[in-house]
Structures are given as C-alpha cells and as structure tokens.
Amino acid sequence: MSNQWLITIGINQYQHFQPLNYAQADAQGLWNLVVSRGSFLPDRCLLLTDTSPFIEGQSTYPSGTNLKQWLDHLCQQAIKEDDLVWFFFSGYGVKWEGQDYLMPIDGNPADVNATGISVKEIYEKLKGSKAGTVLVLLDMNHQQEYQDGSTVVGNQTVELAREMEIPTVLSCQPGQFSYEVGELQHGLFSAALLEGLRSGAGLTLANLKRYLSERVPESSQNHSRPLQEPVFVVNPPGKSHQVILPEQPVFVGSSNGEWSPVTAQLVGSGASVTSAVATSSAENPFQAALRNQQEAGATPTASTNNGQPKPVNVAGEDDDEDNGSLWQQILLWGGGLLLLLLLILTTFGRNFLFPAGEQAEGPGDSITGTVTSPDRLTALDKAKVGLRNNQANSYVEAIKQVSQIKSGDPLYREAQTAMERWSRNILDIAQGRANTGNYRGAIAAASLVPQDPQPVFTDAERLIRQWTPLAKKQQANQAVLSTAKGLIRPNSASSYIQAINMARKIPQGDPGYAQAQALINQWSQSILNLAKQRANQGNFVLAIQAANLVPADTPAYKEAQQAIAQWQNR
C-alpha cells in the first residue's frame, strides 16, 4: 500500500539575492492543485515558503537548516516502501566549484558551500529513502549563470539525475534562463506545469514531457521572452511510463442522475477520505499520515514500484512464465479475427445487421442514443482548448463559450459539469493568490466567478468579504515597510535600527508580517556586516558600538555577541 508525498519549496524574499516575484506562488499553486484534485492527501504535502505556517511547533521557513531537517525527517522516517515522492523547488540555483546548489532563503552567494544545499545532497537523501518512485521538478532562476567560470548551472544536475536514475525535469536548458511573467503570476515553467496537470497531461512522465516540451517554448514566445526549453532526464527510459500523478477520486452515478465521489478510498492512496478528514489538527501532519496508513489496513494486493496496485500472484510466477507465450498467441489471433470482422461490418454497412425499421429515424440519432451535434462539440472543444494560460480570465472565456449550450442539448450536462469545475478553478487561483498574501489579486480573481453555479458564487462572495479587510491592511502595511526602507542610510547602523523599529509596528498575523520579519532579519545582518567592516579597518570601538545594536531576537544576534567578545580582547 503506497502513499503520495509532496515536498514543495518556493522562495521570494531572499536575504542576499534580488527578490523573486512568483516563486512562492509556484510552490503554493502546485500544493493547491494536487491537494484539491485528490491526488495527494494534505497531511502528506509539505509546503515551505516565505509565509508558510508552523507545523506542530516546527518552522516551515525555508532556511537552509529547516530545509535539511525536513528533508531528513521525511526521507529517513516518514516515506515508506513503494511511496511516490515529488520534490519541487522554485527559487535560485547557483554553481560553485563544479557543484550545483539550490539556495535557501538565507543562502549567500558569497558563501555558497556553507549556505547552499547541494543538489547531490538532495538526490542522495531522496535515493536513500524507501520511495518506489521519485520525481524532481526544478524551476531554477540562475541569473548568476557562471559561478566558477567553467560550466553553467544545471549540467551537474542532469548528470546526477542520469547517474542516480532519479527522473528530473529542469525548467530550462543549461545556459538558458528561467523567466517569471506578471500576466501569469507564475514562472513560465511552473505556469505550464500547473496548466498541464490541470488538463490531465501529467499521468506519466511521457505525457508530461510531450506537453511541456511544446508548451514552455510556445509560452515564452507568446509572452515575448527569450526561448526557454525544459530538460527531461529519465534513466532508464522505461521509467517514462511510470504513473507519477495518481488518478482523482472515482466518481459514480447515483439514481437521481447526479455524480458523487466514492468516499471509501482515493485511487492510488493508502488512506481513506474519511480518515483524512477526521485527522486531528493538533496532530503532527506527518504523524497523522503514518497513523492513517496503519489504520487503513492491508488489502490482498501487491504494489509495483510506481505505487499502483496489482493482483497478488496466487498460483506463482512460474506458471505465468510457462504459459505466457501460448496466451499471447491466442490473444493475438483472436484480436486479428475481431479486427477483420469489424472491418467487414464497416465496409458493408449497418444494413447487414439492422433492418431499416430498426435504424435511427433522424440524422442525429443512433442505435444507442443521441449523437452529439458537431457544432456543439466544436464549442465545447474550443472552450477546453482555450484553457492555455492557467489564468482566471481563460476560464471565464471558456465558461462563456460553454454557457451557449442550453438545456435539452446532448452536451448540456457535460457543459454544466465543466462550468462548475472551471468556476472552482477560478476560485482555486484566487485562493492561491490569497495564500501567498496577494489579497488584491485574490479579490480580482474571485470577482470573475460567474453567478451560476450558485454554490461556487456564494463561496467567492464569502471569500471576497474575508479578503477585503486583509487587502486594506496589506496596503497600509506595505506603506509602513516603504517608509521603513526610506529611513536607511548607507554606513549608518542607527538608521537600520530606525527602520527595524518601524517594521515592528506590523502586528503578528497581519498581511506583510512575514515580509517585515524577513526585512528585520536582513537589516540586522546588515548592522553586523557594518560592524565587521569597521573591525576590519581596525576601529574596534565603533565596531562594538554597531554590533551592540543588533536586536536580540534576530538570527544575527548570537554572531554579534561572539564578535563583540573577540573585539573587546583586541
């Protein structure tokens, strides 16, 4: 019995790099998508971003220490045999002395070896876990293309993925750049990835490769960016057909014609829906996941490496090997005869089997029911094809097209189902923006939800009322941070303290609080750097005065105190 795990990391507000705009949205978007579609259970999905909440007292702030601790915990304790694991990263990647590194939020390009996380280390941890299937997705922004003057970022990652046989997808070719697009509210690669997964193109690596290989270059052209082409590394090639995205919950028809999900079991999941919902919020999510696995109980199936169940071989494998060739020949000849029969029937027409009186009376009817009219099929297909950009507006346009299909049309029921799903997708986009702190963008997306179906529209109105005061607070807090930034003066430690005191006015829980804390930590480090600069110049008195200004509740405080002790002795 296998489980699905997601480790998704997205970092915007780097302490030592130019901030990114949508890396956090990339990670949050993937988390939202796989959880909302039922492929992964929430308590097996770890989200590490600038603003992700604590989990049972454990920080999910994407610092180097936290990332390594979480990865160790999952790979050594939580992930079990035959489990499926996705590792997604959106942020900076750099190269140093021939090694590729992913940079945490506190990663420093001046000290990559100490503050970065080597790709090799990550691959070794994933390889060392008991996972049956691992997929690595890297949306690496590497503005600093040449780190050691030899090769570009990504080459070593490709070699490691091939050598360690870990399927890996890189957002761009080594030597290219990974771009962000304001219209998409995502990176080009991540937007295409989410779009492909929504459309069902991610069942296997082969499916995903076909989609992204066309979509990412096309999107880069559509958005006036230089060519960006993803890289797929799958070794051995047979892994291309492994299932990497389990099916959604099975839906069955009820007596009243409505469709409802089967609540007993998620396809490809080791835990029931009801047990997942009943998990106590006070319980560590990863402990809860393991508890659900134990409580779900075993079934008489064995698991393949890709996490999909297969029947237990009761009679023994040798019997299959002995008789396999004979059965293959029987099936081959039988299939050929069936194909020949169908060809004959097709050639001589329906009259051979069905008298004229039994044939359909109208051009739109068939033996088994009503044939869908070609023009309506075109309208529905056009609506689906138009969902190209993972944008709320694209779903709005699709809904407008499908709304032309009226009651009584053979496609009406399918159209109504699609409209409800697309309305939910718009709301998912809005929720994703809110989760990243973009409340104004969330309100704008939620406002696009149509009035019909009513339940989705009601949810959108409720969320808009919830987000409106937060958007106002966010705007006010952004003004506070802008004022704080304006107080800073070069080579003035006291000006950083003034900025810190201003940023502390943003209360905990308010929009912008996490950003304020990140800036406070960054400015505290700047004070310490200024003190070190003075010490290097031999002015230990001024160095000690500056270091004493480092706030006690910031990461730089401990180092500042150690430096003061050294400087006092000198």
Side-chain angles (χ1 to χ4, degrees), residues 443-491:
I443 292 171
S447 299
L448 298 175
V449 174
Q451 294 187 9
D452 188 26
Q454 186 65 35
V456 186
F457 180 72
T458 301
D459 288 345
E461 285 191 317
R462 174 180 55 81
L463 289 173
I464 289 173
R465 289 193 298 269
Q466 175 183 327
W467 293 333
T468 298
L470 294 174
K472 293 179 179 179
K473 283 185 179 180
Q474 184 179 48
Q475 187 174 4
N477 290 339
Q478 287 299 323
V480 171
L481 292 180
S482 296
T483 302
K485 292 176 183 178
L487 295 173
I488 296 175
R489 298 290 179 268
N491 299 320

Side-chain angles (χ1 to χ4, degrees), residues 363-366 369-374 377 410:
D365 295 328
S366 69
T370 305
V371 174
T372 305
S373 64
L377 264 175

